[in-house]
PDB file of all heavy atoms in Angstrom:
ATOM      1  N   SER A   1      -7.939  -3.331   1.439  1.00 96.00           N
ATOM      2  CA  SER A   1      -9.378  -3.501   1.361  1.00 96.00           C
ATOM      3  C   SER A   1     -10.019  -2.366   0.581  1.00 96.00           C
ATOM      4  O   SER A   1      -9.386  -1.351   0.283  1.00 96.00           O
ATOM      5  CB  SER A   1      -9.985  -3.570   2.764  1.00 96.00           C
ATOM      6  OG  SER A   1      -9.793  -2.347   3.454  1.00 96.00           O
ATOM      7  N   TRP A   2     -11.273  -2.535   0.278  1.00 95.00           N
ATOM      8  CA  TRP A   2     -12.000  -1.561  -0.532  1.00 95.00           C
ATOM      9  C   TRP A   2     -11.953  -0.150   0.036  1.00 95.00           C
ATOM     10  O   TRP A   2     -11.889   0.828  -0.718  1.00 95.00           O
ATOM     11  CB  TRP A   2     -13.460  -2.002  -0.691  1.00 95.00           C
ATOM     12  CG  TRP A   2     -14.235  -1.947   0.600  1.00 95.00           C
ATOM     13  CD1 TRP A   2     -14.255  -2.871   1.603  1.00 95.00           C
ATOM     14  CD2 TRP A   2     -15.112  -0.895   1.004  1.00 95.00           C
ATOM     15  NE1 TRP A   2     -15.087  -2.456   2.614  1.00 95.00           N
ATOM     16  CE2 TRP A   2     -15.625  -1.241   2.271  1.00 95.00           C
ATOM     17  CE3 TRP A   2     -15.522   0.309   0.424  1.00 95.00           C
ATOM     18  CZ2 TRP A   2     -16.517  -0.435   2.968  1.00 95.00           C
ATOM     19  CZ3 TRP A   2     -16.413   1.116   1.112  1.00 95.00           C
ATOM     20  CH2 TRP A   2     -16.899   0.742   2.368  1.00 95.00           C
ATOM     21  N   SER A   3     -11.976  -0.035   1.350  1.00 93.00           N
ATOM     22  CA  SER A   3     -12.008   1.267   1.992  1.00 93.00           C
ATOM     23  C   SER A   3     -10.620   1.783   2.367  1.00 93.00           C
ATOM     24  O   SER A   3     -10.475   2.953   2.731  1.00 93.00           O
ATOM     25  CB  SER A   3     -12.860   1.190   3.252  1.00 93.00           C
ATOM     26  OG  SER A   3     -12.263   0.328   4.202  1.00 93.00           O
ATOM     27  N   GLY A   4      -9.631   0.904   2.298  1.00 95.00           N
ATOM     28  CA  GLY A   4      -8.307   1.261   2.747  1.00 95.00           C
ATOM     29  C   GLY A   4      -8.081   1.000   4.224  1.00 95.00           C
ATOM     30  O   GLY A   4      -6.996   1.260   4.740  1.00 95.00           O
ATOM     31  N   GLY A   5      -9.084   0.466   4.899  1.00 95.00           N
ATOM     32  CA  GLY A   5      -8.994   0.252   6.324  1.00 95.00           C
ATOM     33  C   GLY A   5      -8.178  -0.954   6.746  1.00 95.00           C
ATOM     34  O   GLY A   5      -7.758  -1.035   7.900  1.00 95.00           O
ATOM     35  N   SER A   6      -7.950  -1.879   5.833  1.00 97.00           N
ATOM     36  CA  SER A   6      -7.174  -3.075   6.136  1.00 97.00           C
ATOM     37  C   SER A   6      -6.131  -3.298   5.057  1.00 97.00           C
ATOM     38  O   SER A   6      -6.390  -3.052   3.879  1.00 97.00           O
ATOM     39  CB  SER A   6      -8.079  -4.302   6.219  1.00 97.00           C
ATOM     40  OG  SER A   6      -9.028  -4.168   7.262  1.00 97.00           O
ATOM     41  N   THR A   7      -4.966  -3.775   5.469  1.00 98.00           N
ATOM     42  CA  THR A   7      -3.896  -4.064   4.521  1.00 98.00           C
ATOM     43  C   THR A   7      -3.262  -5.398   4.841  1.00 98.00           C
ATOM     44  O   THR A   7      -3.404  -5.932   5.936  1.00 98.00           O
ATOM     45  CB  THR A   7      -2.813  -2.979   4.539  1.00 98.00           C
ATOM     46  OG1 THR A   7      -2.279  -2.864   5.862  1.00 98.00           O
ATOM     47  CG2 THR A   7      -3.385  -1.630   4.115  1.00 98.00           C
ATOM     48  N   ASN A   8      -2.540  -5.920   3.861  1.00 98.00           N
ATOM     49  CA  ASN A   8      -1.840  -7.179   4.038  1.00 98.00           C
ATOM     50  C   ASN A   8      -0.561  -7.126   3.213  1.00 98.00           C
ATOM     51  O   ASN A   8      -0.583  -6.632   2.088  1.00 98.00           O
ATOM     52  CB  ASN A   8      -2.726  -8.346   3.592  1.00 98.00           C
ATOM     53  CG  ASN A   8      -2.246  -9.676   4.114  1.00 98.00           C
ATOM     54  OD1 ASN A   8      -1.378 -10.307   3.524  1.00 98.00           O
ATOM     55  ND2 ASN A   8      -2.814 -10.102   5.231  1.00 98.00           N
ATOM     56  N   TYR A   9       0.536  -7.636   3.766  1.00 98.00           N
ATOM     57  CA  TYR A   9       1.826  -7.568   3.105  1.00 98.00           C
ATOM     58  C   TYR A   9       2.530  -8.912   3.080  1.00 98.00           C
ATOM     59  O   TYR A   9       2.384  -9.725   3.991  1.00 98.00           O
ATOM     60  CB  TYR A   9       2.745  -6.582   3.820  1.00 98.00           C
ATOM     61  CG  TYR A   9       2.255  -5.159   3.819  1.00 98.00           C
ATOM     62  CD1 TYR A   9       1.475  -4.669   4.865  1.00 98.00           C
ATOM     63  CD2 TYR A   9       2.574  -4.308   2.774  1.00 98.00           C
ATOM     64  CE1 TYR A   9       1.024  -3.361   4.864  1.00 98.00           C
ATOM     65  CE2 TYR A   9       2.128  -2.997   2.767  1.00 98.00           C
ATOM     66  CZ  TYR A   9       1.355  -2.528   3.819  1.00 98.00           C
ATOM     67  OH  TYR A   9       0.911  -1.231   3.808  1.00 98.00           O
ATOM     68  N   ALA A  10       3.313  -9.106   2.047  1.00 98.00           N
ATOM     69  CA  ALA A  10       4.197 -10.257   2.009  1.00 98.00           C
ATOM     70  C   ALA A  10       5.269 -10.078   3.076  1.00 98.00           C
ATOM     71  O   ALA A  10       5.684  -8.954   3.374  1.00 98.00           O
ATOM     72  CB  ALA A  10       4.842 -10.386   0.631  1.00 98.00           C
ATOM     73  N   ASP A  11       5.732 -11.184   3.633  1.00 98.00           N
ATOM     74  CA  ASP A  11       6.754 -11.112   4.671  1.00 98.00           C
ATOM     75  C   ASP A  11       8.006 -10.375   4.195  1.00 98.00           C
ATOM     76  O   ASP A  11       8.654  -9.658   4.965  1.00 98.00           O
ATOM     77  CB  ASP A  11       7.149 -12.516   5.124  1.00 98.00           C
ATOM     78  CG  ASP A  11       6.050 -13.206   5.903  1.00 98.00           C
ATOM     79  OD1 ASP A  11       5.116 -12.532   6.365  1.00 98.00           O
ATOM     80  OD2 ASP A  11       6.131 -14.451   6.049  1.00 98.00           O
ATOM     81  N   SER A  12       8.329 -10.524   2.935  1.00 98.00           N
ATOM     82  CA  SER A  12       9.548  -9.942   2.406  1.00 98.00           C
ATOM     83  C   SER A  12       9.524  -8.419   2.331  1.00 98.00           C
ATOM     84  O   SER A  12      10.580  -7.792   2.215  1.00 98.00           O
ATOM     85  CB  SER A  12       9.839 -10.512   1.011  1.00 98.00           C
ATOM     86  OG  SER A  12       8.779 -10.225   0.120  1.00 98.00           O
ATOM     87  N   VAL A  13       8.337  -7.830   2.392  1.00 98.00           N
ATOM     88  CA  VAL A  13       8.245  -6.376   2.271  1.00 98.00           C
ATOM     89  C   VAL A  13       7.660  -5.707   3.497  1.00 98.00           C
ATOM     90  O   VAL A  13       7.656  -4.467   3.576  1.00 98.00           O
ATOM     91  CB  VAL A  13       7.434  -5.956   1.024  1.00 98.00           C
ATOM     92  CG1 VAL A  13       7.994  -6.634  -0.222  1.00 98.00           C
ATOM     93  CG2 VAL A  13       5.953  -6.283   1.197  1.00 98.00           C
ATOM     94  N   THR A  14       7.183  -6.473   4.447  1.00 98.00           N
ATOM     95  CA  THR A  14       6.588  -5.903   5.648  1.00 98.00           C
ATOM     96  C   THR A  14       7.583  -4.981   6.353  1.00 98.00           C
ATOM     97  O   THR A  14       8.733  -5.339   6.576  1.00 98.00           O
ATOM     98  CB  THR A  14       6.141  -7.009   6.616  1.00 98.00           C
ATOM     99  OG1 THR A  14       5.101  -7.776   6.004  1.00 98.00           O
ATOM    100  CG2 THR A  14       5.617  -6.424   7.918  1.00 98.00           C
ATOM    101  N   GLY A  15       7.122  -3.800   6.686  1.00 98.00           N
ATOM    102  CA  GLY A  15       7.976  -2.825   7.345  1.00 98.00           C
ATOM    103  C   GLY A  15       8.712  -1.919   6.386  1.00 98.00           C
ATOM    104  O   GLY A  15       9.246  -0.889   6.811  1.00 98.00           O
ATOM    105  N   ARG A  16       8.749  -2.284   5.125  1.00 98.00           N
ATOM    106  CA  ARG A  16       9.434  -1.468   4.122  1.00 98.00           C
ATOM    107  C   ARG A  16       8.478  -0.842   3.115  1.00 98.00           C
ATOM    108  O   ARG A  16       8.702   0.275   2.657  1.00 98.00           O
ATOM    109  CB  ARG A  16      10.470  -2.302   3.367  1.00 98.00           C
ATOM    110  CG  ARG A  16      11.565  -2.867   4.251  1.00 98.00           C
ATOM    111  CD  ARG A  16      12.668  -3.507   3.411  1.00 98.00           C
ATOM    112  NE  ARG A  16      12.177  -4.621   2.604  1.00 98.00           N
ATOM    113  CZ  ARG A  16      12.250  -4.680   1.273  1.00 98.00           C
ATOM    114  NH1 ARG A  16      12.801  -3.685   0.585  1.00 98.00           N
ATOM    115  NH2 ARG A  16      11.787  -5.743   0.630  1.00 98.00           N
ATOM    116  N   PHE A  17       7.436  -1.573   2.767  1.00 98.00           N
ATOM    117  CA  PHE A  17       6.477  -1.099   1.774  1.00 98.00           C
ATOM    118  C   PHE A  17       5.174  -0.697   2.445  1.00 98.00           C
ATOM    119  O   PHE A  17       4.771  -1.280   3.457  1.00 98.00           O
ATOM    120  CB  PHE A  17       6.162  -2.194   0.754  1.00 98.00           C
ATOM    121  CG  PHE A  17       7.289  -2.540  -0.180  1.00 98.00           C
ATOM    122  CD1 PHE A  17       8.580  -2.084   0.030  1.00 98.00           C
ATOM    123  CD2 PHE A  17       7.039  -3.337  -1.290  1.00 98.00           C
ATOM    124  CE1 PHE A  17       9.615  -2.412  -0.831  1.00 98.00           C
ATOM    125  CE2 PHE A  17       8.060  -3.679  -2.161  1.00 98.00           C
ATOM    126  CZ  PHE A  17       9.347  -3.215  -1.936  1.00 98.00           C
ATOM    127  N   THR A  18       4.492   0.266   1.856  1.00 98.00           N
ATOM    128  CA  THR A  18       3.194   0.698   2.343  1.00 98.00           C
ATOM    129  C   THR A  18       2.225   0.837   1.175  1.00 98.00           C
ATOM    130  O   THR A  18       2.492   1.580   0.228  1.00 98.00           O
ATOM    131  CB  THR A  18       3.285   2.042   3.077  1.00 98.00           C
ATOM    132  OG1 THR A  18       4.204   1.943   4.163  1.00 98.00           O
ATOM    133  CG2 THR A  18       1.917   2.440   3.623  1.00 98.00           C
ATOM    134  N   ILE A  19       1.121   0.123   1.262  1.00 98.00           N
ATOM    135  CA  ILE A  19       0.090   0.237   0.242  1.00 98.00           C
ATOM    136  C   ILE A  19      -0.977   1.209   0.733  1.00 98.00           C
ATOM    137  O   ILE A  19      -1.318   1.226   1.917  1.00 98.00           O
ATOM    138  CB  ILE A  19      -0.531  -1.142  -0.088  1.00 98.00           C
ATOM    139  CG1 ILE A  19      -1.485  -1.037  -1.286  1.00 98.00           C
ATOM    140  CG2 ILE A  19      -1.235  -1.739   1.123  1.00 98.00           C
ATOM    141  CD1 ILE A  19      -1.954  -2.391  -1.811  1.00 98.00           C
ATOM    142  N   SER A  20      -1.474   2.021  -0.161  1.00 98.00           N
ATOM    143  CA  SER A  20      -2.516   2.972   0.194  1.00 98.00           C
ATOM    144  C   SER A  20      -3.365   3.251  -1.036  1.00 98.00           C
ATOM    145  O   SER A  20      -3.012   2.862  -2.150  1.00 98.00           O
ATOM    146  CB  SER A  20      -1.916   4.271   0.751  1.00 98.00           C
ATOM    147  OG  SER A  20      -1.108   4.916  -0.221  1.00 98.00           O
ATOM    148  N   ARG A  21      -4.463   3.924  -0.831  1.00 96.00           N
ATOM    149  CA  ARG A  21      -5.324   4.257  -1.955  1.00 96.00           C
ATOM    150  C   ARG A  21      -5.972   5.607  -1.749  1.00 96.00           C
ATOM    151  O   ARG A  21      -6.225   6.026  -0.614  1.00 96.00           O
ATOM    152  CB  ARG A  21      -6.386   3.172  -2.163  1.00 96.00           C
ATOM    153  CG  ARG A  21      -7.381   3.030  -1.028  1.00 96.00           C
ATOM    154  CD  ARG A  21      -8.168   1.734  -1.147  1.00 96.00           C
ATOM    155  NE  ARG A  21      -8.938   1.680  -2.379  1.00 96.00           N
ATOM    156  CZ  ARG A  21      -9.438   0.571  -2.907  1.00 96.00           C
ATOM    157  NH1 ARG A  21      -9.228  -0.600  -2.308  1.00 96.00           N
ATOM    158  NH2 ARG A  21     -10.131   0.622  -4.039  1.00 96.00           N
ATOM    159  N   ALA A  22      -6.237   6.275  -2.845  1.00 95.00           N
ATOM    160  CA  ALA A  22      -6.946   7.540  -2.848  1.00 95.00           C
ATOM    161  C   ALA A  22      -8.195   7.310  -3.689  1.00 95.00           C
ATOM    162  O   ALA A  22      -8.175   7.458  -4.909  1.00 95.00           O
ATOM    163  CB  ALA A  22      -6.090   8.650  -3.426  1.00 95.00           C
ATOM    164  N   ASN A  23      -9.259   6.912  -3.020  1.00 90.00           N
ATOM    165  CA  ASN A  23     -10.466   6.534  -3.749  1.00 90.00           C
ATOM    166  C   ASN A  23     -11.058   7.667  -4.570  1.00 90.00           C
ATOM    167  O   ASN A  23     -11.625   7.434  -5.638  1.00 90.00           O
ATOM    168  CB  ASN A  23     -11.510   5.969  -2.778  1.00 90.00           C
ATOM    169  CG  ASN A  23     -11.197   4.553  -2.358  1.00 90.00           C
ATOM    170  OD1 ASN A  23     -10.311   3.905  -2.923  1.00 90.00           O
ATOM    171  ND2 ASN A  23     -11.911   4.056  -1.359  1.00 90.00           N
ATOM    172  N   ALA A  24     -10.935   8.877  -4.077  1.00 93.00           N
ATOM    173  CA  ALA A  24     -11.457  10.016  -4.814  1.00 93.00           C
ATOM    174  C   ALA A  24     -10.710  10.228  -6.122  1.00 93.00           C
ATOM    175  O   ALA A  24     -11.233  10.855  -7.042  1.00 93.00           O
ATOM    176  CB  ALA A  24     -11.397  11.274  -3.960  1.00 93.00           C
ATOM    177  N   LYS A  25      -9.491   9.705  -6.207  1.00 95.00           N
ATOM    178  CA  LYS A  25      -8.671   9.841  -7.406  1.00 95.00           C
ATOM    179  C   LYS A  25      -8.597   8.555  -8.216  1.00 95.00           C
ATOM    180  O   LYS A  25      -7.902   8.507  -9.235  1.00 95.00           O
ATOM    181  CB  LYS A  25      -7.249  10.256  -7.034  1.00 95.00           C
ATOM    182  CG  LYS A  25      -7.143  11.584  -6.310  1.00 95.00           C
ATOM    183  CD  LYS A  25      -5.692  11.874  -5.967  1.00 95.00           C
ATOM    184  CE  LYS A  25      -5.543  13.178  -5.217  1.00 95.00           C
ATOM    185  NZ  LYS A  25      -4.125  13.438  -4.847  1.00 95.00           N
ATOM    186  N   ASN A  26      -9.276   7.515  -7.763  1.00 95.00           N
ATOM    187  CA  ASN A  26      -9.209   6.201  -8.416  1.00 95.00           C
ATOM    188  C   ASN A  26      -7.766   5.745  -8.588  1.00 95.00           C
ATOM    189  O   ASN A  26      -7.377   5.229  -9.643  1.00 95.00           O
ATOM    190  CB  ASN A  26      -9.907   6.237  -9.778  1.00 95.00           C
ATOM    191  CG  ASN A  26     -11.411   6.204  -9.664  1.00 95.00           C
ATOM    192  OD1 ASN A  26     -11.983   6.318  -8.585  1.00 95.00           O
ATOM    193  ND2 ASN A  26     -12.084   6.043 -10.798  1.00 95.00           N
ATOM    194  N   THR A  27      -6.983   5.926  -7.545  1.00 97.00           N
ATOM    195  CA  THR A  27      -5.562   5.630  -7.631  1.00 97.00           C
ATOM    196  C   THR A  27      -5.089   4.796  -6.454  1.00 97.00           C
ATOM    197  O   THR A  27      -5.433   5.068  -5.300  1.00 97.00           O
ATOM    198  CB  THR A  27      -4.739   6.920  -7.707  1.00 97.00           C
ATOM    199  OG1 THR A  27      -5.162   7.688  -8.843  1.00 97.00           O
ATOM    200  CG2 THR A  27      -3.261   6.604  -7.868  1.00 97.00           C
ATOM    201  N   LEU A  28      -4.290   3.797  -6.754  1.00 98.00           N
ATOM    202  CA  LEU A  28      -3.656   2.935  -5.775  1.00 98.00           C
ATOM    203  C   LEU A  28      -2.170   3.266  -5.742  1.00 98.00           C
ATOM    204  O   LEU A  28      -1.580   3.559  -6.783  1.00 98.00           O
ATOM    205  CB  LEU A  28      -3.851   1.477  -6.173  1.00 98.00           C
ATOM    206  CG  LEU A  28      -3.187   0.412  -5.302  1.00 98.00           C
ATOM    207  CD1 LEU A  28      -3.935   0.269  -3.984  1.00 98.00           C
ATOM    208  CD2 LEU A  28      -3.143  -0.925  -6.043  1.00 98.00           C
ATOM    209  N   TYR A  29      -1.567   3.177  -4.567  1.00 98.00           N
ATOM    210  CA  TYR A  29      -0.154   3.494  -4.414  1.00 98.00           C
ATOM    211  C   TYR A  29       0.600   2.369  -3.722  1.00 98.00           C
ATOM    212  O   TYR A  29       0.032   1.595  -2.955  1.00 98.00           O
ATOM    213  CB  TYR A  29       0.043   4.757  -3.579  1.00 98.00           C
ATOM    214  CG  TYR A  29      -0.618   5.980  -4.140  1.00 98.00           C
ATOM    215  CD1 TYR A  29      -1.827   6.431  -3.626  1.00 98.00           C
ATOM    216  CD2 TYR A  29      -0.036   6.701  -5.180  1.00 98.00           C
ATOM    217  CE1 TYR A  29      -2.444   7.566  -4.130  1.00 98.00           C
ATOM    218  CE2 TYR A  29      -0.644   7.835  -5.692  1.00 98.00           C
ATOM    219  CZ  TYR A  29      -1.844   8.264  -5.161  1.00 98.00           C
ATOM    220  OH  TYR A  29      -2.443   9.390  -5.669  1.00 98.00           O
ATOM    221  N   LEU A  30       1.888   2.325  -3.982  1.00 98.00           N
ATOM    222  CA  LEU A  30       2.783   1.457  -3.243  1.00 98.00           C
ATOM    223  C   LEU A  30       4.051   2.246  -2.963  1.00 98.00           C
ATOM    224  O   LEU A  30       4.822   2.531  -3.877  1.00 98.00           O
ATOM    225  CB  LEU A  30       3.121   0.184  -4.020  1.00 98.00           C
ATOM    226  CG  LEU A  30       4.008  -0.812  -3.262  1.00 98.00           C
ATOM    227  CD1 LEU A  30       3.246  -1.417  -2.089  1.00 98.00           C
ATOM    228  CD2 LEU A  30       4.520  -1.913  -4.191  1.00 98.00           C
ATOM    229  N   ARG A  31       4.236   2.612  -1.704  1.00 98.00           N
ATOM    230  CA  ARG A  31       5.445   3.299  -1.307  1.00 98.00           C
ATOM    231  C   ARG A  31       6.474   2.258  -0.888  1.00 98.00           C
ATOM    232  O   ARG A  31       6.202   1.443  -0.010  1.00 98.00           O
ATOM    233  CB  ARG A  31       5.171   4.250  -0.137  1.00 98.00           C
ATOM    234  CG  ARG A  31       6.395   5.004   0.360  1.00 98.00           C
ATOM    235  CD  ARG A  31       6.889   5.977  -0.688  1.00 98.00           C
ATOM    236  NE  ARG A  31       8.108   6.654  -0.266  1.00 98.00           N
ATOM    237  CZ  ARG A  31       8.712   7.606  -0.948  1.00 98.00           C
ATOM    238  NH1 ARG A  31       8.196   8.019  -2.104  1.00 98.00           N
ATOM    239  NH2 ARG A  31       9.820   8.149  -0.488  1.00 98.00           N
ATOM    240  N   MET A  32       7.620   2.295  -1.513  1.00 98.00           N
ATOM    241  CA  MET A  32       8.664   1.317  -1.263  1.00 98.00           C
ATOM    242  C   MET A  32       9.876   2.023  -0.676  1.00 98.00           C
ATOM    243  O   MET A  32      10.468   2.883  -1.327  1.00 98.00           O
ATOM    244  CB  MET A  32       9.034   0.596  -2.552  1.00 98.00           C
ATOM    245  CG  MET A  32       7.846  -0.057  -3.249  1.00 98.00           C
ATOM    246  SD  MET A  32       8.315  -0.975  -4.741  1.00 98.00           S
ATOM    247  CE  MET A  32       8.838   0.387  -5.780  1.00 98.00           C
ATOM    248  N   ASN A  33      10.227   1.653   0.526  1.00 98.00           N
ATOM    249  CA  ASN A  33      11.399   2.201   1.202  1.00 98.00           C
ATOM    250  C   ASN A  33      12.433   1.112   1.405  1.00 98.00           C
ATOM    251  O   ASN A  33      12.136  -0.074   1.331  1.00 98.00           O
ATOM    252  CB  ASN A  33      11.010   2.782   2.558  1.00 98.00           C
ATOM    253  CG  ASN A  33      10.103   3.976   2.460  1.00 98.00           C
ATOM    254  OD1 ASN A  33      10.198   4.776   1.538  1.00 98.00           O
ATOM    255  ND2 ASN A  33       9.208   4.122   3.437  1.00 98.00           N
ATOM    256  N   SER A  34      13.653   1.529   1.686  1.00 98.00           N
ATOM    257  CA  SER A  34      14.751   0.599   1.961  1.00 98.00           C
ATOM    258  C   SER A  34      14.831  -0.484   0.904  1.00 98.00           C
ATOM    259  O   SER A  34      14.929  -1.677   1.195  1.00 98.00           O
ATOM    260  CB  SER A  34      14.584  -0.024   3.354  1.00 98.00           C
ATOM    261  OG  SER A  34      14.542   0.965   4.356  1.00 98.00           O
ATOM    262  N   LEU A  35      14.799  -0.075  -0.330  1.00 98.00           N
ATOM    263  CA  LEU A  35      14.778  -1.028  -1.436  1.00 98.00           C
ATOM    264  C   LEU A  35      16.058  -1.859  -1.503  1.00 98.00           C
ATOM    265  O   LEU A  35      17.147  -1.374  -1.212  1.00 98.00           O
ATOM    266  CB  LEU A  35      14.551  -0.296  -2.747  1.00 98.00           C
ATOM    267  CG  LEU A  35      13.102   0.133  -2.981  1.00 98.00           C
ATOM    268  CD1 LEU A  35      13.030   1.203  -4.062  1.00 98.00           C
ATOM    269  CD2 LEU A  35      12.253  -1.078  -3.359  1.00 98.00           C
TER     270      LEU A  35
END
């Protein structure tokens, strides 16, 4: 979501990937674990 307060994941990546954002940096991230 716009504020980072809500997220949604595909079933295939739930528990492995994490989406986050740094609004002050205008940057979106995707941390991928257990690839």
Side-chain angles (χ1 to χ4, degrees):
S1 64
W2 68 279
S3 65
S6 298
T7 58
N8 197 276
Y9 297 92
D11 290 344
S12 60
V13 307
T14 296
R16 299 188 299 121
F17 290 12
T18 302
I19 187 170
S20 62
R21 65 194 299 162
N23 283 350
K25 299 179 181 178
N26 283 9
T27 302
L28 177 74
Y29 301 101
L30 183 68
R31 179 67 183 184
M32 305 183 293
N33 295 326
S34 302
L35 283 163

